[in-house]
Amino acid sequence: MRHRDRHIRHGPALLPLLAALATGTAVAHSKQEVTFPEDGAVLAASPDVVSMRFDAPMRITAISLTSEAGGTFDLGRSDGMQPVTDFRATTPVLPTGRYTVDWRGLSPDGHPMNCRFSFEVAQ
Ligand SMILES: [Cu+2]
């Protein structure tokens, strides 16, 4: 069985289904539990890192940080593309503005996942 979850953070109705799918399988579907910054957060200064926590190890295959103005910013990864439950990447100093983190990953059960979260750096 193959399925793709888009914006998994916004799909609470899917959780019972995902739990049912995970039952009886050796490896579980992973989901995003917590991000830093939180989705919608307004920060007084540039964050040093962005992070995501998962309930099962997720291999992050792509991640990007873009500004509302269209700029892209390099992230410093240290996970070596290995599955991790706590993903962290350092950020450059971000000017005031709105930002979105988009990521794609592979759940332990092999399902492709993707999600995004946004935050604002205020003056
Ligand atoms: Cu799955």
Side-chain angles (χ1 to χ4, degrees), residues 4 24 46 105 114:
R4 179 179 295 269
S46 174
N114 63 74

Side-chain angles (χ1 to χ4, degrees), residues 3 29 109 111:
H3 61 88
H29 201 100
D109 59 7
H111 290 147

Side-chain angles (χ1 to χ4, degrees), residues 41-43 66-69 94-99 119-123:
V42 178
L43 307 178
T66 55
S67 71
E68 192 175 54
L94 302 176
T96 299
R98 294 176 185 275
Y99 297 88
F119 62 91
E120 180 176 354
V121 177
Q123 282 185 320

Side-chain angles (χ1 to χ4, degrees), residues 7 11 31-32 34 36 66-67 74 80 84 89 94 96 107 116-117 120-122:
H7 310 300
K31 67 180 188 296
Q32 177 183 280
V34 179
F36 178 82
T66 55
S67 71
D74 289 334
V84 292
L94 302 176
T96 299
S107 192
R116 67 172 50 168
F117 57 97
E120 180 176 354
V121 177

